Amino acid sequence: MTLYEAQKQQSYYISGLYVEPAVTRRLQALGLNEGTLVKVLNRKRRGAMIIQVRGTRLALGRHISSNIEVRQKEEKA
């Protein structure tokens, strides 16, 4: 699934970045690397979202969030 499809207040692991190389490098510099845990804090109507990654909040637009693959964080029993 993509980060764009992610639910509010849920945590996910990054499994791949599929945007332009320059954008990929910038996201990696901000800490969005494969295996990184992110939490969706808020979603806006037009596709923008606010995520938390490594203690920092980031705003991502629809174009970027729809090209980031994520997997659901497994809940502990």
Side-chain angles (χ1 to χ4, degrees), residues 4-77:
Y4 178 71
E5 301 166 332
Q7 298 297 314
K8 187 175 171 181
Q9 298 301 320
Q10 297 293 317
S11 295
Y12 300 88
Y13 287 104
I14 303 288
S15 58
L17 300 172
Y18 302 103
V19 290
E20 297 84 16
V23 176
T24 299
R25 285 191 302 273
R26 180 64 178 147
L27 292 174
Q28 289 173 337
L30 291 169
L32 286 172
N33 300 304
E34 189 171 329
T36 302
L37 183 66
V38 298
K39 182 177 182 180
V40 178
L41 298 177
N42 202 357
R43 296 179 54 95
K44 301 293 181 184
R45 289 187 183 151
R46 294 188 177 210
M49 63 175 30
I50 298 174
I51 63 170
Q52 183 174 14
V53 56
R54 299 184 181 188
T56 302
R57 286 189 272 174
L58 297 175
L60 299 176
R62 181 178 185 176
H63 170 72
I64 294 174
S65 64
S66 63
N67 288 298
I68 297 175
E69 291 287 323
V70 295
R71 67 182 194 280
Q72 182 80 38
K73 178 184 174 188
E74 294 81 18
E75 298 295 326
K76 293 185 178 181

